């Protein structure tokens, strides 16, 4: 097999060690915001809608429910703190895509892809409108996303795309000798501060009359759907006409969904703020989100105070599919990211990282969210965003509310919304299969992107993915 640019141009261990010296193990975004506290649930209350989960999916569901019916009582339950998990620690790429990219959507729902992409843009427009209407301070910048080729064979993947940039043009946008070509999608992505967005969504929800309860872990959902449903926590109960589940990477409250997602850990670094001279050395004046083109890809973006977030590449699954804090501290992955960062931007040697962290992604076998109902239509769920949920969570909220209303809409009639992914097998087959996929994708990255028979077989049964 060949080598990748990140192996051919690896910086010295001294450069890596110095960049990570004194780095805090913690989420920069969550350290950068004030986090209001909300009381835990106590006693037995009634509501029209109870939302489980205080991340983007749950918060958008609560907001959209109140926008539809301001008079209804909406209660939101969060097991820990609002937006503490994926919604507070992601890269801040708010993308229009509802299908984890054009190719994934085209391969699965070719007859719907044009409408799905139009609806995705409408959804992103709706987020931008809401940010303005409610004066959300979320560092929202609709700068688009620049996808770049870092190996010669990847250049041809972009040549026929709208927004194609050759080597000279891509270098004019961002100065990295590793960038050989690219494509700039100017409309389909916005940058946000993830934790600020979460806090602002919670503020808006409260202003609209939503009741938010933190530290209210849901232990069960009672009722067969012939009447109201009761959601049970350690400290109380909520009986409601309808329930919306936005628990994502955490174990589903519905047994039918226990094997539909697996947690895969993604790792991130954040630099100190760049000086004006350092910024000038890399260009990047248009502040697009960046992503390279390998199966094991990196994503990177600028913050409002001119730090660089650099994440991705490693995607680690742990046997048993558990979500545990100790899985977040993996120095091997953070060292690898630091190495790849200085391969990308050698002119920034001497820059240090202030934060390192990780988070679990709710991965489904179709690589984008899926939807459904239970308990005779009184319980709705959306999960399996596979790392692209910042924007799609709002669409998912509308799907759940449509389904709970019992009325067919343009959203609920989509085949993409009606179909379910293939479940993952139980252990040990899950761990074996996931790690085989990861190894095969790494092999493809070292072999000019050529997919082996194993990946082609997965493609054939609908479980393949080409990032």
């Amino acid at each position: 097999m060949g080598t990748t640019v990140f192996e051919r141009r690896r910086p010295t261990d001294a450069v890596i060690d110095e960049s990570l010296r004194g780095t805090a193990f913690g989420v920069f975004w969550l350290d950068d915001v004030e986090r209001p506290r909300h009381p835990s649930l106590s006693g037995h209350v009634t509501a029209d809608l109870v939302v489980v989960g205080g991340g983007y999916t749950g918060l958008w569901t609560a907001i959209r429910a109140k926008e539809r019916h301001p008079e209804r009582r909406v209660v939101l339950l969060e097991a820990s703190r609002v937006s503490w998990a994926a919604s507070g620690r992601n890269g801040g790429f708010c993308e229009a895509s509802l299908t984890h990219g054009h190719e994934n959507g085209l391969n699965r729902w070719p007859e719907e892809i044009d409408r799905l992409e139009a609806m995705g843009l409408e959804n992103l427009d709706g987020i931008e409108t809401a940010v303005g209407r409610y004066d959300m301070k979320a560092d929202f910048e609709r700068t688009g996303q620049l996808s770049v080729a870092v190996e010669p064979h990847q250049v041809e993947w972009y040549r026929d795309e709208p927004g194609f940039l050759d080597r000279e043009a891509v270098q004019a946008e961002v100065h990295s000798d590793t960038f050989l070509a690219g494509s700039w999608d100017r409309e389909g992505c916005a940058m946000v501060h993830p934790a600020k967005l979460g806090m602002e969504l919670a503020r808006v929800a409260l202003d609209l009359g939503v009741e938010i309860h933190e530290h209210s872990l849901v232990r069960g959902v009672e009722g067969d759907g012939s009447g109201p449903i009761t959601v049970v926590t350690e400290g109380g109960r909520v009986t409601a006409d309808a329930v919306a589940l936005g628990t994502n990477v955490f174990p589903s409250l519905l047994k039918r969904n226990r094997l539909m997602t697996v947690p895969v850990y993604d790792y991130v670094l954040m630099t100190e703020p760049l000086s004006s001279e350092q910024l000038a050395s890399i260009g990047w004046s248009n502040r697009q989100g960046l992503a390279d083109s390998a199966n094991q890809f990196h994503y990177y973006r600028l913050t409002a105070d001119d730090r660089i977030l650099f994440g991705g590449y490693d995607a680690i699954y742990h046997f048993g599919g558990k979500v545990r804090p100790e899985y977040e501290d993996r120095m091997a992955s953070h060292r690898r990211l630091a190495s790849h960062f200085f391969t990308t931007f050698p002119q920034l040697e001497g820059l240090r990282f202030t934060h390192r962290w990780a988070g679990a992604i709710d991965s489904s076998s179709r690589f984008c969210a899926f939807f459904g109902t239970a308990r005779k239509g009184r319980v709705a769920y959306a999960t399996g965003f596979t790392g692209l949920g910042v924007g799609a969570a709002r669409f998912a909220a509308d799907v759940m509310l449509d389904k709970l209303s019992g009325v067919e809409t343009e959203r609920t009639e989509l085949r993409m919304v009606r179909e379910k992914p293939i479940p993952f097998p139980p252990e040990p087959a899950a761990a074996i299969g996931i790690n085989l996929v990861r190894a095969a994708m790494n092999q493809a990255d070292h072999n000019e992107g050529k997919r082996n028979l194993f990946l082609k077989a997965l493609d054939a049964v609908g479980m393949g993915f080409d990032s």
Side-chain angles (χ1 to χ4, degrees):
M1 290 194 298
T3 58
T4 70
V5 66
F6 300 105
E7 293 160 335
R8 294 190 299 270
R9 303 188 187 180
R10 187 180 185 278
T12 65
D13 286 340
V15 168
I16 297 169
D17 292 341
E18 181 61 21
S19 71
L20 290 168
R21 185 164 59 85
T23 300
F25 173 57
V27 183
F28 168 80
W29 305 121
L30 295 173
D31 288 347
D32 197 44
V33 293
E34 292 186 12
R35 303 170 66 190
R37 295 187 177 274
H38 307 279
S40 60
L41 179 68
S42 178
H44 190 178
V45 300
T46 60
D48 297 293
L49 172 68
V50 58
V51 179
V52 181
Y56 297 148
T57 303
L59 290 166
W60 275 119
T61 302
I63 289 169
R64 298 295 283 165
K66 292 295 282 187
E67 288 176 337
R68 293 185 183 200
H69 301 286
E71 75 284 358
R72 292 185 176 177
R73 186 177 186 183
V74 177
V75 175
L76 184 148
L77 304 175
E78 164 55 43
S80 181
R81 302 286 305 281
V82 164
S83 291
W84 75 275
S87 298
R89 61 184 64 212
N90 63 83
F93 286 65
C94 187
E95 296 193 38
S97 179
L98 306 174
T99 60
H100 209 131
H102 175 79
E103 289 301 319
N104 193 48
L106 179 64
N107 290 337
R108 298 178 189 281
W109 306 287
E111 79 285 3
E112 292 182 347
I113 188 60
D114 289 344
R115 187 62 193 131
L116 285 166
E117 293 192 340
M119 294 175 83
L121 283 169
E122 291 168 5
N123 180 66
L124 182 56
D125 289 342
I127 293 172
E128 185 171 19
T129 297
V131 167
R133 177 192 302 131
Y134 295 117
D135 193 26
M136 295 189 203
K137 309 299 185 185
D139 296 348
F140 185 96
E141 298 179 277
R142 195 156 178 180
T143 51
Q145 179 171 315
L146 177 60
S147 300
V148 296
V150 295
E151 301 289 350
H153 70 269
Q154 297 169 2
V155 175
E156 296 306 313
W157 300 349
Y158 292 110
R159 197 171 297 281
D160 296 328
E161 287 196 10
F164 173 72
L165 304 176
D166 62 15
R167 181 179 176 86
E168 182 179 356
V170 78
Q171 291 291 328
E173 291 298 325
V174 185
H175 309 328
S176 172
D177 287 342
T178 65
F179 295 173
L180 307 180
S183 177
W184 183 4
D185 177 0
R186 296 171 183 260
E187 294 296 323
C189 186
M191 297 291 105
V192 298
H193 185 303
K196 285 184 180 179
L197 178 61
M199 297 307 109
E200 288 290 82
L201 288 172
R203 174 186 64 80
V204 171
L206 288 172
D207 289 346
L208 293 175
V210 175
E211 301 163 46
I212 298 176
H213 296 283
E214 294 181 324
H215 300 295
S216 300
L217 175 65
V218 173
R219 293 295 189 184
V221 178
E222 298 178 350
D224 63 5
S226 57
I229 300 292
T230 298
V231 175
V232 181
T233 73
E234 290 181 338
R237 304 161 68 87
V238 182
T239 298
D241 294 328
V243 178
L245 302 179
T247 55
N248 295 309
V249 78
F250 297 99
S252 176
L253 291 164
L254 300 174
K255 186 177 180 180
R256 69 180 67 177
N257 286 339
R258 294 284 170 83
L259 296 177
M260 301 299 277
T261 62
V262 294
V264 176
Y265 276 82
D266 181 51
Y267 296 84
V268 184
L269 292 172
M270 183 72 84
T271 74
E272 62 190 350
L274 275 65
S275 68
S276 57
E277 292 80 11
Q278 288 169 324
L279 278 171
S281 75
I282 61 171
W284 210 350
S285 60
N286 286 313
R287 301 180 59 82
Q288 313 96 321
L290 292 176
D292 61 42
S293 308
N295 288 301
Q296 296 183 107
F297 65 93
H298 308 86
Y299 55 87
Y300 25 129
R301 50 79 55 94
L302 289 166
T303 66
D305 61 347
D306 293 326
R307 300 169 184 264
I308 298 176
L309 175 142
F310 193 79
Y313 195 82
D314 278 350
I316 305 299
Y317 174 79
H318 295 273
F319 186 91
K322 304 296 184 182
V323 179
R324 292 175 174 168
E326 57 265 32
Y327 294 156
E328 298 173 18
D329 191 2
R330 191 172 192 269
M331 186 54 76
S333 291
H334 287 124
R335 285 184 61 82
R336 185 172 293 114
L337 282 173
S339 174
H340 294 180
F341 179 89
F342 291 111
T343 295
T344 304
F345 296 123
Q347 65 268 49
L348 295 181
E349 285 189 9
L351 189 69
R352 290 185 177 177
F353 299 103
T354 62
H355 291 73
R356 58 184 172 87
W357 71 91
I361 295 172
D362 57 327
S363 301
S364 72
S365 65
R366 74 182 204 176
F367 301 94
C368 63
F370 63 93
F371 317 89
T373 59
R375 313 292 170 90
K376 299 180 181 178
R378 287 184 179 267
V379 177
Y381 58 85
T383 189
F385 293 92
T386 320
L388 216 66
V390 179
R394 180 181 179 275
F395 177 83
D398 280 328
V399 170
M400 286 196 289
L401 293 172
D402 288 349
K403 284 182 170 291
L404 290 171
S405 75
V407 177
E408 287 191 354
T409 68
E410 184 180 14
R411 283 180 288 262
T412 62
E413 291 175 350
L414 290 167
R415 187 161 67 90
M416 177 263 197
V417 168
R418 291 184 284 108
E419 291 182 344
K420 303 294 188 295
I422 298 171
F424 291 92
E427 296 291 13
I432 293 169
I434 291 166
N435 287 319
L436 282 173
V437 170
R438 185 166 178 262
M441 287 187 167
N442 181 62
Q443 182 185 57
D445 287 340
H446 286 79
N447 190 30
E448 298 184 346
K450 297 173 184 175
R451 297 166 76 80
N452 64 18
L453 290 176
F454 178 60
L455 290 180
K456 290 178 180 178
L458 290 177
D459 293 340
V461 299
M463 295 186 73
F465 179 62
D466 183 353
S467 64

